[in-house]
Amino acid sequence: AQSVSQHNHHVILSEAASLELGCNYSYGGTVNLFWYVQYPGQHLQLLLKYFSGDPLVKGIKGFEAEFIKSKFSFNLRKPSVQWSDTAEYFCAVTPLGSSNTGKLIFGQGTTLQVKP
Amino acid sequence: ETGVTQSPTHLIKTRGQQVTLRCSSQSGHNTVSWYQQALGQGPQFIFQYYREEENGRGNFPPRFSGLQFPNYSSELNVNALELDDSALYLCASSRSSGNHGDTQYFGPGTRLTVL
């Protein structure tokens, strides 16, 4: 079955620390990859996406992610977190192909708490 | 550019009742997808509508049904509500057929509580 796994459920960091959130998916074909963020009291927002090309993608607010096809991974990184990065982060995958419909398959989410 | 809007914001129903949730897609978008997000979980795909037809369905029973209108707005209907249907229901819109895996933009959601 197609699935997305986020390894860290709850991460606590101090400001200026570096962040890496793991994401792996199970699907052998071509995928589109996304990271969404949900700030407290707000709706899901797109952080960054990968469709094709350079596997290192940059998103908003200094976030970046690297697609490693051989590892079925799409890890999210930020060199230096801020208190305002406190939020829930979701990795999502869209399997492509005739039998798929563009649905997003989400991971369970990672709650990031940044201490000032 | 107007984003995705959903109504109502909150809803309380009792078991066995029926509910209709509404979604207006972002300007220029013709595809609407619905997701259920239980507490502490990631969103789960319910179904997607493209040009007023269902374009894919997740693992949800037939009592979950939907519609898409000519203006691309959409409704999610749930019959015979169960306690486990309590969740945040999210609507997302995108520009073209979901087969292309286009970026989906989410609304704020409707929080449904079933008592």
Side-chain angles (χ1 to χ4, degrees):
Chain A
Q2 302 159 350
S3 65
V4 175
S5 174
Q6 292 182 238
H7 314 302
N8 319 97
H9 297 302
H10 197 166
V11 173
I12 302 174
L13 295 173
S14 298
E15 274 193 316
S18 64
L19 170 71
E20 180 159 3
L21 302 182
C23 173
N24 286 88
Y25 65 92
S26 63
Y27 180 68
T30 304
V31 294
N32 287 346
L33 298 153
F34 305 85
W35 276 95
Y36 284 88
V37 60
Q38 191 166 29
Y39 297 104
Q42 297 187 28
H43 60 276
L44 273 172
Q45 300 173 36
L46 181 69
L47 201 53
L48 48 78
K49 63 185 179 184
Y50 173 81
F51 283 9
S52 63
D54 188 344
L56 184 63
V57 293
K58 295 189 184 300
I60 61 172
K61 302 186 179 184
F63 286 90
E64 65 178 30
E66 184 176 13
F67 172 45
I68 303 179
K69 188 174 181 179
S70 61
K71 294 185 178 181
F72 300 92
S73 70
F74 190 54
N75 292 353
L76 180 71
R77 299 194 292 250
K78 185 172 184 177
S80 176
V81 295
Q82 299 173 319
W83 177 79
S84 58
D85 293 325
T86 294
E88 186 139 21
Y89 293 80
F90 292 94
C91 179
V93 167
T94 295
L96 301 179
S98 59
S99 62
N100 294 295
T101 59
K103 65 183 178 186
L104 280 168
I105 303 170
F106 282 86
Q108 194 171 8
T110 297
T111 302
L112 172 65
Q113 183 182 353
V114 180
K115 295 185 173 182
Chain B
E1 185 178 82
T2 306
V4 179
T5 60
Q6 293 186 243
S7 63
T9 307
H10 295 88
L11 204 51
I12 299 175
K13 292 285 188 178
T14 56
R15 200 167 43 179
Q17 285 189 309
Q18 178 265 343
V19 69
T20 297
L21 310 182
R22 295 178 175 82
C23 170
S24 291
S25 60
Q26 187 168 314
S27 176
H29 288 183
N30 56 11
T31 302
V32 172
S33 304
W34 286 92
Y35 294 83
Q36 181 194 68
Q37 186 178 15
L39 207 58
Q41 303 293 319
Q44 298 289 315
F45 176 72
I46 302 175
F47 43 56
Q48 183 181 84
Y49 278 84
Y50 171 62
R51 293 185 176 177
E52 302 179 56
E53 292 195 2
E54 189 177 288
N55 188 44
R57 188 178 184 90
N59 190 26
F60 281 81
R63 59 189 185 85
F64 285 78
S65 63
L67 284 172
Q68 187 180 32
F69 301 99
N71 66 353
Y72 304 125
S73 66
S74 177
E75 286 182 355
L76 164 65
N77 300 289
V78 188
N79 293 322
L81 284 167
E82 301 178 0
L83 297 179
D84 284 348
D85 296 333
S86 294
L88 181 67
Y89 288 85
L90 298 169
C91 170
S93 73
S94 52
R95 190 173 297 276
S96 62
S97 169
N99 285 336
H100 299 293
D102 300 292
T103 304
Q104 296 183 26
Y105 295 90
F106 285 82
T110 294
R111 172 73 62 188
L112 172 65
T113 302
V114 182
L115 302 176

